[in-house]
Amino acid sequence: MSQKSKVRHANREAQQEKQARKVITWIFAALVVLAVAFLVVAMMD
């Protein structure tokens, strides 16, 4: 593998890891919002 290709591969891998962390953060945030909404609805009964 050429040096340029190795650098490109490393950059792509880092970018994918950063994007994956962002997706996981959004999933957890959505779960928290849904949990709060569920608690609000449960309190109204």
Side-chain angles (χ1 to χ4, degrees), residues 7-43:
V7 170
R8 206 176 282 149
H9 182 72
N11 285 342
R12 180 168 170 78
E13 202 171 298
Q15 191 70 22
Q16 284 181 334
E17 187 175 335
K18 185 178 177 184
Q19 189 174 4
R21 285 184 183 164
K22 196 180 290 187
V23 169
I24 290 169
T25 302
W26 276 106
I27 289 171
F28 279 124
L31 286 174
V32 168
V33 168
L34 288 172
V36 169
F38 177 77
L39 287 174
V40 168
V41 169
M43 292 286 204

